[in-house]
Amino acid sequence: MHCSPCFSRPGKPTDNAFIESFNGQLRKECLNVHWFLSRGDAHEKVDAWRKDYDEVRPHGSLGSHAPAEVGRIDNGTSENAENAGTTVLPESRISQNSQNPH
């Protein structure tokens, strides 16, 4: 069996809508907002955005929950262990999500 990489075709963003959405968010919320003074400065700013994106901000595909919170719940490490494996969040986290404009 032969496998080869499959790339999105130029001008066809619907080939991979998820990465196109991510790229748009990265550009709009990070790259267009910051001036990068050096490679190190760019690394720090993009990494801070990535951590917020991956750990803090709510995602619609996760029922408006943050990925890190869903991961802790699924792993049984939430504050309320009896709810492990569910998407029930502590009230404090829900109120923070509702105030976060991301």
Side-chain angles (χ1 to χ4, degrees):
M1 175 184 237
H2 175 62
C3 294
S4 63
C6 181
F7 299 101
S8 294
R9 299 168 292 169
K12 302 290 183 184
T14 56
D15 282 354
N16 190 341
F18 294 110
I19 195 64
E20 292 298 328
S21 175
F22 172 81
N23 287 343
Q25 293 293 103
L26 173 64
R27 178 157 304 282
K28 181 176 79 176
E29 297 174 7
C30 185
L31 302 179
N32 289 346
V33 174
H34 298 290
W35 285 90
F36 303 113
L37 304 175
S38 66
R39 288 178 75 182
D41 182 45
H43 185 317
E44 288 176 17
K45 289 174 180 172
V46 172
D47 194 48
W49 181 87
R50 181 195 56 79
K51 285 181 181 176
D52 177 68
Y53 185 87
D54 285 345
E55 299 172 9
V56 178
R57 71 166 16 177
H59 289 250
S61 63
L62 300 174
S64 295
H65 300 302
E69 186 65 34
V70 171
R72 283 193 296 274
I73 292 170
D74 288 343
N75 291 328
T77 57
S78 67
E79 294 173 8
N80 191 354
E82 67 210 35
N83 290 327
T86 66
T87 56
V88 177
L89 294 176
E91 289 299 320
S92 61
R93 182 68 192 150
I94 293 170
S95 63
Q96 289 173 359
N97 284 348
S98 63
Q99 296 171 1
N100 191 343
H102 298 281

